Amino acid sequence: MLPSLNKTPTWQTIAKKVQDHRDATIAKVQPSIPDIALEDIPLDSTSIPKTILKPEEIAITESTPEDLVSKLASGELTSVEVTNAFLRRAALSQKLVNCITELLPETALEDAQKLDESLKANSGPLGPLHGLPISVKEHVGMKDLTHNAGFVAWHERIAPANAHILDILSAAGAVFHARTTEPQLLMHLETSSNLYGTTVNPFNRSLTSGGSSGGEGALIGLRGSCLGIGTDIGGSIRDPAANNGLYGLRPTTYRLPMVGLTATKLGQEQIVPVIGPLSTSLEGVKLFMKTIIDAKPWIREPSLIPMPWKTDSQFPVLPDGSKKLRIGLLVDDGVVRPHPPVLRALNSMTEKLKTVPGIQVVEWKPFKHDWAWTVISSLYFGDGGAEDVAAIEASGEPWRPLSDFIVKENPNVKNLSIGEVWDWTMKREIYKSEYAKLWEERDVDVILCPAGPGAAPPIDQARYWGYTSQWNLLDYPALVVPTTKVNPSVDLSETDYKPRNEKDKFNHDLYEPSKYINAPVSVQLVGRRYEDEKVIEAMQYIKEKLGLPWAEYV
Amino acid sequence: MLPSLNKTPTWQTIAKKVQDHRDATIAKVQPSIPDIALEDIPLDSTSIPKTILKPEEIAITESTPEDLVSKLASGELTSVEVTNAFLRRAALSQKLVNCITELLPETALEDAQKLDESLKANSGPLGPLHGLPISVKEHVGMKDLTHNAGFVAWHERIAPANAHILDILSAAGAVFHARTTEPQLLMHLETSSNLYGTTVNPFNRSLTSGGSSGGEGALIGLRGSCLGIGTDIGGSIRDPAANNGLYGLRPTTYRLPMVGLTATKLGQEQIVPVIGPLSTSLEGVKLFMKTIIDAKPWIREPSLIPMPWKTDSQFPVLPDGSKKLRIGLLVDDGVVRPHPPVLRALNSMTEKLKTVPGIQVVEWKPFKHDWAWTVISSLYFGDGGAEDVAAIEASGEPWRPLSDFIVKENPNVKNLSIGEVWDWTMKREIYKSEYAKLWEERDVDVILCPAGPGAAPPIDQARYWGYTSQWNLLDYPALVVPTTKVNPSVDLSETDYKPRNEKDKFNHDLYEPSKYINAPVSVQLVGRRYEDEKVIEAMQYIKEKLGLPWAEYV
């Protein structure tokens, strides 16, 4: 046998192969989407879909999930037309921002067809998501399809079954039309891998889409999907939601099913990853949560808590009919000062909140958020990063800069003994108890805070996780909500600012108003553990009173 | 300086010191309890209290917790008289079975006095446990008192604060009158330590009281307490409850507060220990659970799940008024066959159950219970036992035989890497999912099974954990309930039995009817995760229909 026949393919060859596969699935979308030369795509790509799609496709893809499921259930729209519209817009999104690992036109349209037929035959929808297309982060397993979790070496791993969450969504009538990009390691607040390259921000293509669910963020930001599935262990749902002007929820752990995902460090339970929704609407987030929890996922997946979705109001109502809501305002975590657009968003929101009867805003002083990062980042990679190193090095693919950052340059990554992990776990518990005590003393309902230290930064610069990882450590449900966009003529640099530390300096130096032009600015609402419903209800109420978001995106 | 002045005390010196302290606290109980020569104590010591205590003390100490709290709340009994009666009986219990580490006559009577005064002043009880004495396993921290967790080296460790659970019970009106023994390591199904010696079984003093909450088991078995606090990571509440004819519940994890306990391996979360009640009545178990959960312990201890205690019925009611209840019957786990008395208890119970309208009994075939033991015992000591070895060897105290058994002779105890712990964790999760699937397919409400491979064995022979540790691995709530006693003339040896394996042979050879005379025989009722309320309700219903227990103990 000739040696060349046995040659292990290079990572470049593998990357080409998976990209060819992706492009082949996109080519099956009909009518096909024309290729667009890179130089013809403006910095803000969000205007492009209107120039290419048909008006009815635009109308469908710019509808909210709640509008679509209502029209699908009544038969006003068919699932085939809705699915095809989203397939077309997803295909276009790939050409604009590189957010897709594969489209599923054949199975999605087949499923849609069956749902349309069943609606007629049974004169009713299969479930609350009847006919709705949903996009899915790549490492959420789909039966008989590959899932690689961002590693070149894993490109031929086949999922033996659908992830549990997909079974539930499917039984509720959902259609899966798109699979989306994620970074090498799954642990960047950006989305770049050697398999698919870099996913960029649709609102400003020189910026990141965020990550690790950055394919979802960019795709939904461009309305190639209205509801998608992400995962989050340090901000990976909320960061791309924030960067793309979306709603995104990191639920409390053990509420939504996790079986059937591929990743390194499976079995690591000190910092528990979660799955959750990104959506163009807050109602979409709620629909996602309620649909899954109503299916009692704890029966099949016993690590989940049998806690039904609460539908009654979580707030007292005052005599004038307004809800009594006490908000803790955390503007700055004391470690890294947010950029001017974030400060403007929070200040302007607070001014409006203070005028709403029933709403009280009090200062939330941060409590050792730097220590929180030490604890969480010590527990992420208890094996010293061994599994991740092995998964990267198995193919000889290069380390991406943000993989270096979080594993190799992270002083808290050490090969710990079991006893050391137990020690860090106790430190985590003590910190959680201290924070819980503060919450009890300060007696707030929710905390309003930044979703990150700025809007989406330029590529490879997302190096401060504290505004999102803080709530992973505490296991608090946290919801990101869009508010405005960066306006360089208003959001000026703070030229006289004296940074407190290296991280603060890095973030401060990053901000140049013109570079961030048009980037969505989001905020975050945080609740106590297992108060997911309360956080959503609070945001619905705030939204209703304040008219969020203040900027229109599409 | 003379070398002798610096000499580290021997473990024997320390043991004498802590026992002297214990005896001094007992001597403060008034009227004092006479010493009893060992040779004057019969094999069954349960008849002795009636010969020494006053009739009113006997009446009080043989009342159930629910009767006592009712009489204490109405003022029919004072907390001082109830507390002193239990102090007296606890002092006597120590002399009979060696179950106490210290009594708390001064603080208990002071607290009782205050509660009596407050009842009069406020014309009402402080909470649902107003004035009720509760006994506490030693490693549950009490402010300013030592807690040693069974290690000689830890004999001077002082608890800086009350354990969270004690604060809650105290706020509900409980009085703490006794602290009870536990074994070296806290991981024997017996109770012997170099600090306090061996706790024996009140019903047959040649047998073990069980463990690790064996001080509680023996004390409550003798009615020196009617409600006590134990902990359980492999059977440590249920085993002593079973061995002493008591009710004992291992709740689902993260329902009851754990902060403030001392032990090795704190921070180990793969197999989560729980705290729970042992009681002379089933209602006592429920009162304990409901009181603590009604106090919302999750506010202060955020690792707990905010899940209120369910008070509505968990079973459908049939047209004839009977509850619909499907019971899976697991007689033998396929690894170690239970002794004849256990088989008799289950068979006789099943025959009766089959005659109750609405109750259906189906066979529950065991599923890889031997593998379950491999998984759980691999995860108990992920550090290869390093913390336990260090804690024992710090004082030079000898290893107890059952410490050798569970650490040194256990082939699954290895110094694991972090990656190996993650692997075992995934194996645990897969096994839990498989078991959950069986439960769904077989569609039972509860599983009825042995509480152990026999009644309480002779000292140092409790070497099979499978009947209890099985449910720790699966994190199912499991309730032990007394049924009968060993009757050597009925419970004959199975002479023609061919053991399946070494463990089975060991257990089989252990059984000689005459040695086990009079030992309580208990069974166990198991529910799905977080169905603690359902398990208790099922047992209440069964008890009502069957008239359990069939033997009277006191």
Side-chain angles (χ1 to χ4, degrees), chain A residues 266 269 299 302-303 382 416 418 421-422 428-429 440 529, chain B residues 266 269 299 302-303 382 416 418 421-422 428-429 440 529:
Chain A
L266 294 177
E269 293 184 317
I299 298 284
S303 62
L416 302 177
I418 303 298
V421 168
W422 294 345
R428 183 201 70 195
E429 282 306 292
E440 187 63 2
R529 244 187 130 209
Chain B
L266 293 177
E269 292 183 319
I299 298 284
S303 61
L416 302 177
I418 302 299
V421 167
W422 294 345
R428 183 201 69 195
E429 282 306 291
E440 188 62 1
R529 243 186 131 210

PDB file of all heavy atoms in Angstrom, chain A residues 266 269 299 302-303 382 416 418 421-422 428-429 440 529, chain B residues 266 269 299 302-303 382 416 418 421-422 428-429 440 529:
ATOM      1  N   LEU A 266     -17.450  16.559  30.022  1.00  0.00           N
ATOM      2  CA  LEU A 266     -18.741  16.012  30.446  1.00  0.00           C
ATOM      3  C   LEU A 266     -18.516  15.324  31.798  1.00  0.00           C
ATOM      4  O   LEU A 266     -17.535  14.615  31.972  1.00  0.00           O
ATOM      5  CB  LEU A 266     -19.275  15.008  29.425  1.00  0.00           C
ATOM      6  CG  LEU A 266     -19.653  15.580  28.051  1.00  0.00           C
ATOM      7  CD1 LEU A 266     -20.108  14.451  27.117  1.00  0.00           C
ATOM      8  CD2 LEU A 266     -20.751  16.625  28.169  1.00  0.00           C
ATOM      9  N   GLU A 269     -19.258  18.867  37.273  1.00  0.00           N
ATOM     10  CA  GLU A 269     -20.508  19.356  37.869  1.00  0.00           C
ATOM     11  C   GLU A 269     -20.302  20.526  38.827  1.00  0.00           C
ATOM     12  O   GLU A 269     -21.253  20.964  39.459  1.00  0.00           O
ATOM     13  CB  GLU A 269     -21.182  18.218  38.651  1.00  0.00           C
ATOM     14  CG  GLU A 269     -21.671  17.098  37.774  1.00  0.00           C
ATOM     15  CD  GLU A 269     -22.421  16.029  38.555  1.00  0.00           C
ATOM     16  OE1 GLU A 269     -21.946  15.673  39.650  1.00  0.00           O
ATOM     17  OE2 GLU A 269     -23.460  15.569  38.077  1.00  0.00           O
ATOM     18  N   ILE A 299     -38.689  13.407  33.971  1.00  0.00           N
ATOM     19  CA  ILE A 299     -39.060  11.980  33.979  1.00  0.00           C
ATOM     20  C   ILE A 299     -37.964  11.177  33.276  1.00  0.00           C
ATOM     21  O   ILE A 299     -37.500  10.162  33.781  1.00  0.00           O
ATOM     22  CB  ILE A 299     -40.421  11.767  33.263  1.00  0.00           C
ATOM     23  CG1 ILE A 299     -41.541  12.508  33.990  1.00  0.00           C
ATOM     24  CG2 ILE A 299     -40.725  10.271  33.102  1.00  0.00           C
ATOM     25  CD1 ILE A 299     -42.010  11.856  35.252  1.00  0.00           C
ATOM     26  N   PRO A 302     -33.251  12.276  34.988  1.00  0.00           N
ATOM     27  CA  PRO A 302     -33.513  12.453  36.423  1.00  0.00           C
ATOM     28  C   PRO A 302     -32.600  13.446  37.129  1.00  0.00           C
ATOM     29  O   PRO A 302     -32.836  13.726  38.306  1.00  0.00           O
ATOM     30  CB  PRO A 302     -33.347  11.031  36.987  1.00  0.00           C
ATOM     31  CG  PRO A 302     -32.533  10.287  35.985  1.00  0.00           C
ATOM     32  CD  PRO A 302     -32.809  10.924  34.644  1.00  0.00           C
ATOM     33  N   SER A 303     -31.590  13.987  36.429  1.00  0.00           N
ATOM     34  CA  SER A 303     -30.818  15.039  37.094  1.00  0.00           C
ATOM     35  C   SER A 303     -31.616  16.344  37.163  1.00  0.00           C
ATOM     36  O   SER A 303     -31.250  17.244  37.913  1.00  0.00           O
ATOM     37  CB  SER A 303     -29.494  15.278  36.362  1.00  0.00           C
ATOM     38  OG  SER A 303     -29.739  15.712  35.047  1.00  0.00           O
ATOM     39  N   GLY A 382     -10.708  21.802  35.929  1.00  0.00           N
ATOM     40  CA  GLY A 382     -10.063  21.124  37.051  1.00  0.00           C
ATOM     41  C   GLY A 382      -8.988  20.143  36.617  1.00  0.00           C
ATOM     42  O   GLY A 382      -8.089  19.803  37.378  1.00  0.00           O
ATOM     43  N   LEU A 416      -5.764  20.028  39.071  1.00  0.00           N
ATOM     44  CA  LEU A 416      -6.061  19.960  40.503  1.00  0.00           C
ATOM     45  C   LEU A 416      -6.188  18.523  40.977  1.00  0.00           C
ATOM     46  O   LEU A 416      -6.554  17.628  40.201  1.00  0.00           O
ATOM     47  CB  LEU A 416      -7.376  20.696  40.792  1.00  0.00           C
ATOM     48  CG  LEU A 416      -7.458  22.176  40.392  1.00  0.00           C
ATOM     49  CD1 LEU A 416      -8.856  22.716  40.692  1.00  0.00           C
ATOM     50  CD2 LEU A 416      -6.409  23.000  41.134  1.00  0.00           C
ATOM     51  N   ILE A 418      -8.244  15.877  43.531  1.00  0.00           N
ATOM     52  CA  ILE A 418      -9.656  15.808  43.940  1.00  0.00           C
ATOM     53  C   ILE A 418      -9.883  16.666  45.183  1.00  0.00           C
ATOM     54  O   ILE A 418     -10.867  17.414  45.269  1.00  0.00           O
ATOM     55  CB  ILE A 418     -10.044  14.343  44.221  1.00  0.00           C
ATOM     56  CG1 ILE A 418      -9.787  13.473  42.985  1.00  0.00           C
ATOM     57  CG2 ILE A 418     -11.489  14.237  44.689  1.00  0.00           C
ATOM     58  CD1 ILE A 418     -10.568  13.827  41.780  1.00  0.00           C
ATOM     59  N   VAL A 421     -10.224  20.264  44.255  1.00  0.00           N
ATOM     60  CA  VAL A 421     -11.543  20.584  43.693  1.00  0.00           C
ATOM     61  C   VAL A 421     -12.582  20.703  44.806  1.00  0.00           C
ATOM     62  O   VAL A 421     -13.429  21.600  44.791  1.00  0.00           O
ATOM     63  CB  VAL A 421     -11.972  19.538  42.642  1.00  0.00           C
ATOM     64  CG1 VAL A 421     -13.448  19.692  42.276  1.00  0.00           C
ATOM     65  CG2 VAL A 421     -11.122  19.671  41.377  1.00  0.00           C
ATOM     66  N   TRP A 422     -12.507  19.805  45.783  1.00  0.00           N
ATOM     67  CA  TRP A 422     -13.436  19.916  46.917  1.00  0.00           C
ATOM     68  C   TRP A 422     -13.258  21.255  47.640  1.00  0.00           C
ATOM     69  O   TRP A 422     -14.246  21.896  48.032  1.00  0.00           O
ATOM     70  CB  TRP A 422     -13.219  18.749  47.893  1.00  0.00           C
ATOM     71  CG  TRP A 422     -13.577  17.395  47.322  1.00  0.00           C
ATOM     72  CD1 TRP A 422     -14.316  17.135  46.199  1.00  0.00           C
ATOM     73  CD2 TRP A 422     -13.199  16.111  47.855  1.00  0.00           C
ATOM     74  NE1 TRP A 422     -14.413  15.771  46.009  1.00  0.00           N
ATOM     75  CE2 TRP A 422     -13.746  15.117  47.006  1.00  0.00           C
ATOM     76  CE3 TRP A 422     -12.463  15.699  48.960  1.00  0.00           C
ATOM     77  CZ2 TRP A 422     -13.577  13.745  47.247  1.00  0.00           C
ATOM     78  CZ3 TRP A 422     -12.288  14.335  49.197  1.00  0.00           C
ATOM     79  CH2 TRP A 422     -12.847  13.369  48.346  1.00  0.00           C
ATOM     80  N   ARG A 428     -16.682  28.115  46.592  1.00  0.00           N
ATOM     81  CA  ARG A 428     -17.858  28.490  45.793  1.00  0.00           C
ATOM     82  C   ARG A 428     -19.106  28.562  46.681  1.00  0.00           C
ATOM     83  O   ARG A 428     -19.870  29.534  46.630  1.00  0.00           O
ATOM     84  CB  ARG A 428     -18.064  27.438  44.684  1.00  0.00           C
ATOM     85  CG  ARG A 428     -19.190  27.732  43.727  1.00  0.00           C
ATOM     86  CD  ARG A 428     -19.657  26.453  43.003  1.00  0.00           C
ATOM     87  NE  ARG A 428     -20.344  25.600  43.960  1.00  0.00           N
ATOM     88  CZ  ARG A 428     -20.635  24.317  43.774  1.00  0.00           C
ATOM     89  NH1 ARG A 428     -20.291  23.699  42.661  1.00  0.00           N
ATOM     90  NH2 ARG A 428     -21.258  23.635  44.712  1.00  0.00           N
ATOM     91  N   GLU A 429     -19.303  27.541  47.504  1.00  0.00           N
ATOM     92  CA  GLU A 429     -20.489  27.508  48.356  1.00  0.00           C
ATOM     93  C   GLU A 429     -20.512  28.653  49.358  1.00  0.00           C
ATOM     94  O   GLU A 429     -21.562  29.236  49.630  1.00  0.00           O
ATOM     95  CB  GLU A 429     -20.580  26.162  49.084  1.00  0.00           C
ATOM     96  CG  GLU A 429     -21.090  25.047  48.203  1.00  0.00           C
ATOM     97  CD  GLU A 429     -22.410  25.385  47.536  1.00  0.00           C
ATOM     98  OE1 GLU A 429     -23.426  25.497  48.231  1.00  0.00           O
ATOM     99  OE2 GLU A 429     -22.434  25.573  46.300  1.00  0.00           O
ATOM    100  N   GLU A 440     -30.760  38.824  50.663  1.00  0.00           N
ATOM    101  CA  GLU A 440     -31.794  38.834  51.696  1.00  0.00           C
ATOM    102  C   GLU A 440     -31.808  40.184  52.428  1.00  0.00           C
ATOM    103  O   GLU A 440     -32.870  40.766  52.658  1.00  0.00           O
ATOM    104  CB  GLU A 440     -31.515  37.676  52.673  1.00  0.00           C
ATOM    105  CG  GLU A 440     -32.585  37.437  53.709  1.00  0.00           C
ATOM    106  CD  GLU A 440     -33.920  37.026  53.144  1.00  0.00           C
ATOM    107  OE1 GLU A 440     -34.041  36.869  51.911  1.00  0.00           O
ATOM    108  OE2 GLU A 440     -34.870  36.887  53.935  1.00  0.00           O
ATOM    109  N   ARG A 529     -31.939  32.073  42.414  1.00  0.00           N
ATOM    110  CA  ARG A 529     -31.963  30.704  41.895  1.00  0.00           C
ATOM    111  C   ARG A 529     -33.395  30.204  41.774  1.00  0.00           C
ATOM    112  O   ARG A 529     -34.195  30.331  42.687  1.00  0.00           O
ATOM    113  CB  ARG A 529     -31.238  29.791  42.891  1.00  0.00           C
ATOM    114  CG  ARG A 529     -29.990  29.179  42.305  1.00  0.00           C
ATOM    115  CD  ARG A 529     -29.377  28.147  43.235  1.00  0.00           C
ATOM    116  NE  ARG A 529     -29.132  26.933  42.493  1.00  0.00           N
ATOM    117  CZ  ARG A 529     -29.125  25.714  42.994  1.00  0.00           C
ATOM    118  NH1 ARG A 529     -29.366  25.525  44.257  1.00  0.00           N
ATOM    119  NH2 ARG A 529     -28.895  24.681  42.222  1.00  0.00           N
TER     120      ARG A 529
ATOM    121  N   LEU B 266     -15.744  17.386  52.583  1.00  0.00           N
ATOM    122  CA  LEU B 266     -16.670  18.484  52.309  1.00  0.00           C
ATOM    123  C   LEU B 266     -16.334  19.029  50.925  1.00  0.00           C
ATOM    124  O   LEU B 266     -15.169  19.198  50.586  1.00  0.00           O
ATOM    125  CB  LEU B 266     -16.532  19.590  53.360  1.00  0.00           C
ATOM    126  CG  LEU B 266     -16.969  19.215  54.779  1.00  0.00           C
ATOM    127  CD1 LEU B 266     -16.721  20.384  55.733  1.00  0.00           C
ATOM    128  CD2 LEU B 266     -18.439  18.815  54.836  1.00  0.00           C
ATOM    129  N   GLU B 269     -19.307  16.410  45.691  1.00  0.00           N
ATOM    130  CA  GLU B 269     -20.707  16.578  45.258  1.00  0.00           C
ATOM    131  C   GLU B 269     -21.185  15.471  44.334  1.00  0.00           C
ATOM    132  O   GLU B 269     -22.297  15.544  43.831  1.00  0.00           O
ATOM    133  CB  GLU B 269     -20.857  17.908  44.520  1.00  0.00           C
ATOM    134  CG  GLU B 269     -20.686  19.121  45.413  1.00  0.00           C
ATOM    135  CD  GLU B 269     -20.920  20.434  44.675  1.00  0.00           C
ATOM    136  OE1 GLU B 269     -20.464  20.552  43.521  1.00  0.00           O
ATOM    137  OE2 GLU B 269     -21.548  21.324  45.272  1.00  0.00           O
ATOM    138  N   ILE B 299     -33.383  30.161  51.202  1.00  0.00           N
ATOM    139  CA  ILE B 299     -33.052  31.593  51.199  1.00  0.00           C
ATOM    140  C   ILE B 299     -31.638  31.780  51.744  1.00  0.00           C
ATOM    141  O   ILE B 299     -30.819  32.468  51.159  1.00  0.00           O
ATOM    142  CB  ILE B 299     -34.066  32.401  52.067  1.00  0.00           C
ATOM    143  CG1 ILE B 299     -35.483  32.289  51.506  1.00  0.00           C
ATOM    144  CG2 ILE B 299     -33.622  33.857  52.210  1.00  0.00           C
ATOM    145  CD1 ILE B 299     -35.763  33.104  50.282  1.00  0.00           C
ATOM    146  N   PRO B 302     -28.215  28.687  49.480  1.00  0.00           N
ATOM    147  CA  PRO B 302     -28.707  28.698  48.102  1.00  0.00           C
ATOM    148  C   PRO B 302     -28.456  27.414  47.310  1.00  0.00           C
ATOM    149  O   PRO B 302     -28.942  27.304  46.196  1.00  0.00           O
ATOM    150  CB  PRO B 302     -27.975  29.889  47.466  1.00  0.00           C
ATOM    151  CG  PRO B 302     -26.802  30.141  48.336  1.00  0.00           C
ATOM    152  CD  PRO B 302     -27.171  29.677  49.714  1.00  0.00           C
ATOM    153  N   SER B 303     -27.739  26.441  47.883  1.00  0.00           N
ATOM    154  CA  SER B 303     -27.635  25.166  47.166  1.00  0.00           C
ATOM    155  C   SER B 303     -28.941  24.375  47.248  1.00  0.00           C
ATOM    156  O   SER B 303     -29.138  23.432  46.488  1.00  0.00           O
ATOM    157  CB  SER B 303     -26.497  24.321  47.743  1.00  0.00           C
ATOM    158  OG  SER B 303     -26.751  24.028  49.096  1.00  0.00           O
ATOM    159  N   GLY B 382     -13.002   9.783  46.038  1.00  0.00           N
ATOM    160  CA  GLY B 382     -12.250  10.116  44.824  1.00  0.00           C
ATOM    161  C   GLY B 382     -10.791  10.483  45.110  1.00  0.00           C
ATOM    162  O   GLY B 382      -9.940  10.402  44.232  1.00  0.00           O
ATOM    163  N   LEU B 416      -8.225   9.162  42.268  1.00  0.00           N
ATOM    164  CA  LEU B 416      -8.635   9.411  40.880  1.00  0.00           C
ATOM    165  C   LEU B 416      -8.133  10.764  40.391  1.00  0.00           C
ATOM    166  O   LEU B 416      -7.964  11.695  41.176  1.00  0.00           O
ATOM    167  CB  LEU B 416     -10.164   9.383  40.772  1.00  0.00           C
ATOM    168  CG  LEU B 416     -10.864   8.088  41.216  1.00  0.00           C
ATOM    169  CD1 LEU B 416     -12.377   8.259  41.106  1.00  0.00           C
ATOM    170  CD2 LEU B 416     -10.409   6.899  40.373  1.00  0.00           C
ATOM    171  N   ILE B 418      -9.039  14.143  38.028  1.00  0.00           N
ATOM    172  CA  ILE B 418     -10.282  14.864  37.800  1.00  0.00           C
ATOM    173  C   ILE B 418     -11.041  14.241  36.613  1.00  0.00           C
ATOM    174  O   ILE B 418     -12.253  14.040  36.676  1.00  0.00           O
ATOM    175  CB  ILE B 418      -9.982  16.352  37.514  1.00  0.00           C
ATOM    176  CG1 ILE B 418      -9.198  16.986  38.674  1.00  0.00           C
ATOM    177  CG2 ILE B 418     -11.267  17.123  37.230  1.00  0.00           C
ATOM    178  CD1 ILE B 418      -9.890  16.978  39.989  1.00  0.00           C
ATOM    179  N   VAL B 421     -12.879  11.190  37.686  1.00  0.00           N
ATOM    180  CA  VAL B 421     -14.116  11.497  38.428  1.00  0.00           C
ATOM    181  C   VAL B 421     -15.215  11.914  37.454  1.00  0.00           C
ATOM    182  O   VAL B 421     -16.376  11.509  37.585  1.00  0.00           O
ATOM    183  CB  VAL B 421     -13.881  12.594  39.494  1.00  0.00           C
ATOM    184  CG1 VAL B 421     -15.192  13.135  40.031  1.00  0.00           C
ATOM    185  CG2 VAL B 421     -13.048  12.035  40.633  1.00  0.00           C
ATOM    186  N   TRP B 422     -14.875  12.707  36.442  1.00  0.00           N
ATOM    187  CA  TRP B 422     -15.882  13.082  35.434  1.00  0.00           C
ATOM    188  C   TRP B 422     -16.434  11.835  34.732  1.00  0.00           C
ATOM    189  O   TRP B 422     -17.636  11.731  34.498  1.00  0.00           O
ATOM    190  CB  TRP B 422     -15.274  14.041  34.404  1.00  0.00           C
ATOM    191  CG  TRP B 422     -14.893  15.378  34.959  1.00  0.00           C
ATOM    192  CD1 TRP B 422     -15.283  15.919  36.155  1.00  0.00           C
ATOM    193  CD2 TRP B 422     -14.041  16.365  34.350  1.00  0.00           C
ATOM    194  NE1 TRP B 422     -14.720  17.163  36.330  1.00  0.00           N
ATOM    195  CE2 TRP B 422     -13.963  17.468  35.241  1.00  0.00           C
ATOM    196  CE3 TRP B 422     -13.342  16.433  33.149  1.00  0.00           C
ATOM    197  CZ2 TRP B 422     -13.222  18.616  34.951  1.00  0.00           C
ATOM    198  CZ3 TRP B 422     -12.596  17.578  32.864  1.00  0.00           C
ATOM    199  CH2 TRP B 422     -12.539  18.648  33.751  1.00  0.00           C
ATOM    200  N   ARG B 428     -22.496   7.339  36.386  1.00  0.00           N
ATOM    201  CA  ARG B 428     -23.597   7.516  37.348  1.00  0.00           C
ATOM    202  C   ARG B 428     -24.836   8.057  36.631  1.00  0.00           C
ATOM    203  O   ARG B 428     -25.952   7.551  36.805  1.00  0.00           O
ATOM    204  CB  ARG B 428     -23.152   8.496  38.451  1.00  0.00           C
ATOM    205  CG  ARG B 428     -24.159   8.718  39.547  1.00  0.00           C
ATOM    206  CD  ARG B 428     -23.891  10.040  40.272  1.00  0.00           C
ATOM    207  NE  ARG B 428     -24.196  11.154  39.386  1.00  0.00           N
ATOM    208  CZ  ARG B 428     -23.817  12.422  39.569  1.00  0.00           C
ATOM    209  NH1 ARG B 428     -23.095  12.751  40.623  1.00  0.00           N
ATOM    210  NH2 ARG B 428     -24.152  13.348  38.707  1.00  0.00           N
ATOM    211  N   GLU B 429     -24.627   9.072  35.800  1.00  0.00           N
ATOM    212  CA  GLU B 429     -25.762   9.688  35.108  1.00  0.00           C
ATOM    213  C   GLU B 429     -26.445   8.709  34.149  1.00  0.00           C
ATOM    214  O   GLU B 429     -27.671   8.691  34.030  1.00  0.00           O
ATOM    215  CB  GLU B 429     -25.308  10.935  34.348  1.00  0.00           C
ATOM    216  CG  GLU B 429     -25.126  12.141  35.241  1.00  0.00           C
ATOM    217  CD  GLU B 429     -26.366  12.433  36.073  1.00  0.00           C
ATOM    218  OE1 GLU B 429     -27.384  12.847  35.504  1.00  0.00           O
ATOM    219  OE2 GLU B 429     -26.324  12.221  37.297  1.00  0.00           O
ATOM    220  N   GLU B 440     -40.305   4.500  34.422  1.00  0.00           N
ATOM    221  CA  GLU B 440     -41.344   5.005  33.530  1.00  0.00           C
ATOM    222  C   GLU B 440     -42.080   3.843  32.852  1.00  0.00           C
ATOM    223  O   GLU B 440     -43.311   3.837  32.777  1.00  0.00           O
ATOM    224  CB  GLU B 440     -40.695   5.920  32.478  1.00  0.00           C
ATOM    225  CG  GLU B 440     -41.647   6.673  31.589  1.00  0.00           C
ATOM    226  CD  GLU B 440     -42.553   7.643  32.310  1.00  0.00           C
ATOM    227  OE1 GLU B 440     -42.451   7.772  33.538  1.00  0.00           O
ATOM    228  OE2 GLU B 440     -43.413   8.241  31.638  1.00  0.00           O
ATOM    229  N   ARG B 529     -37.180  10.776  42.526  1.00  0.00           N
ATOM    230  CA  ARG B 529     -36.502  11.978  43.019  1.00  0.00           C
ATOM    231  C   ARG B 529     -37.506  13.093  43.326  1.00  0.00           C
ATOM    232  O   ARG B 529     -38.377  13.378  42.509  1.00  0.00           O
ATOM    233  CB  ARG B 529     -35.558  12.484  41.930  1.00  0.00           C
ATOM    234  CG  ARG B 529     -34.117  12.449  42.347  1.00  0.00           C
ATOM    235  CD  ARG B 529     -33.204  13.086  41.312  1.00  0.00           C
ATOM    236  NE  ARG B 529     -32.328  14.011  41.983  1.00  0.00           N
ATOM    237  CZ  ARG B 529     -31.821  15.099  41.449  1.00  0.00           C
ATOM    238  NH1 ARG B 529     -32.093  15.413  40.209  1.00  0.00           N
ATOM    239  NH2 ARG B 529     -31.057  15.890  42.156  1.00  0.00           N
TER     240      ARG B 529
END
